[in-house]
Amino acid sequence: MTSASNPLMLSADRQLAFLGAGSMNGAILRGILAAGHAPGAVTATLRTNAKAAALRDETGITVFVGEQEPDANRRAAAGADVVFLGVKPIGVQALCREIAGSLRPDTVVVSVAAAVTIEAISACLNPGQPVIRTMPNTPLMVGMGAVGLSAGDHVTDAALAEVVALFAGSGLVHVVPEAQLDAVSAVSGSGPAYVFYLVDAMAAAGVELGLAPELSMDLARATVAGAGKMLAAPGADPVAMRRSVTSPNGTTERAIAEFEAGGIPGIIARGARAAADRAAQISTELAG
Ligand SMILES: NC(=O)C1=CN([C@@H]2O[C@H](COP(=O)(O)OP(=O)(O)OC[C@H]3O[C@@H](n4cnc5c(N)ncnc54)[C@H](O)[C@@H]3O)[C@@H](O)[C@H]2O)C=CC1
Ligand SMILES: O=C(O)[C@@H]1CCC=N1
């Protein structure tokens, strides 16, 4: 796995199109705008009008709405230097077929979808179209994302460097072999949900111990946010950091012993395996 980060390659007025500006594409575009990209150089599409006005007001970007303009995706994609595909995996290939005729030969198509292979995407675009498959996560919206990505055959070094730079403005980026993207998905793509699940469980535990629900949730949220900020320091070692909280024969030691006895590490490994297996299953379903 190689690390790549080169924000100097980023030009703030390159034309970017986010097709399907939901949770993930919305997080990416917010991260890119916060890093200094010009809103006037960004377009997005949504299927329905419900959230379009709020997105326009919040970001200043141009938003096309599919239920109002049947050619919304083609209009957004036309003239774009980089197009981000942000629809559910089942919709990616139809979207590619829809926009194929609107792309320049050098437009870079970036998919954020789980499980849709570069081969499956390329099959629905013009021959030779550059395709990059990514597995991002939603903390990109606050500048603390984690992204794994793989480039297809027709991606130039300059195009790859530009897309890496776009993500690197709001998170960590690793270029990985495509075969590792399901594992990246199981760790960092789905990972924020695991952490939110933990916070919910910690808050519920506090209520069981007699804390008011709001107080318990405040404490759990602040704890995970603070621990996350500590972990973001270069070289942070979670094992050493855990030891620094764990006094010999103290309270934390008892809690960790319960977690170990309950098999928490194995349960997390099983969950991640299930996530990766589901990604492989979706790839097979889409290929069939
Ligand atoms: N949510 C997450 O944390 C992550 C999601 N992903 C991937 O991101 C993709 C999108 O997932 P979410 O953002 O969670 O879903 P979402 O449902 O929040 O966003 C999808 C958006 O696309 C719109 N849409 C659907 N079909 C469209 C079309 N033909 N043209 C234009 N817009 C269309 C929908 O109205 C919606 O706003 C998925 O492929 C998923 O695998 C990847 C990593 C993390
Ligand atoms: O749940 C999903 O399928 C997507 C991919 C990773 C996070 N969300």
Side-chain angles (χ1 to χ4, degrees):
M1 193 181 274
T2 56
S3 173
S5 161
N6 185 359
L8 294 176
M9 296 298 297
L10 180 62
S11 171
D13 59 358
R14 297 279 282 168
Q15 300 293 313
L16 311 179
F18 292 85
L19 309 184
S23 300
M24 193 60 253
N25 246 357
I28 296 168
L29 81 83
R30 285 176 177 85
I32 286 175
L33 291 173
H37 209 85
V42 178
T43 61
T45 65
L46 286 166
R47 199 158 38 185
T48 62
N49 205 21
K51 294 181 182 162
L55 185 60
R56 281 187 203 106
D57 290 349
E58 177 199 335
T59 62
I61 67 171
T62 300
V63 182
F64 299 102
V65 178
E67 68 179 4
Q68 291 173 338
E69 306 179 65
D71 61 348
N73 288 318
R74 287 188 290 271
R75 284 190 69 189
D81 297 300
V82 184
V83 169
F84 292 82
L85 308 177
V87 301
K88 297 290 188 192
I90 189 91
V92 169
Q93 289 182 293
L95 179 57
C96 289
R97 283 188 211 100
E98 183 185 335
I99 61 168
S102 305
L103 304 176
R104 295 195 318 257
D106 64 341
T107 300
V108 182
V109 175
V110 176
S111 171
V112 313
V116 190
T117 62
I118 293 171
E119 186 183 3
I121 294 165
S122 299
C124 303
L125 295 168
N126 291 328
Q129 195 78 51
V131 174
I132 294 178
R133 179 179 162 197
T134 73
M135 179 41 60
N137 69 8
T138 50
L140 283 163
M141 78 171 80
V142 293
M144 296 185 76
V147 185
L149 59 80
S150 303
D153 290 342
H154 306 294
V155 178
T156 63
D157 289 349
L160 176 60
E162 176 170 38
V163 171
V164 166
L166 282 168
F167 282 113
S170 41
L172 171 84
V173 188
H174 284 283
V175 178
V176 301
E178 187 179 12
Q180 292 185 2
L181 283 175
D182 290 352
V184 172
S185 178
V187 175
S188 54
S190 299
Y194 310 163
V195 175
F196 303 142
Y197 189 88
L198 172 69
V199 170
D200 202 33
M202 286 169 64
V207 171
E208 227 175 84
L209 289 168
L211 297 177
E214 203 178 311
L215 169 62
S216 194
M217 182 56 83
D218 272 357
L219 294 172
R221 278 207 323 251
T223 298
V224 172
K229 194 161 184 183
M230 290 168 74
L231 279 168
D237 174 356
V239 175
M241 288 158 73
R242 170 158 63 80
R243 287 206 186 103
S244 77
V245 180
T246 309
S247 307
N249 204 24
T251 63
T252 315
E253 193 178 89
R254 293 293 166 89
I256 301 284
E258 281 297 317
F259 296 158
E260 294 286 323
I264 298 283
I267 290 171
I268 291 171
R270 271 182 14 227
R273 164 61 61 192
D277 286 352
R278 176 61 188 139
Q281 191 182 39
I282 294 172
S283 298
T284 307
E285 287 167 7
L286 292 175

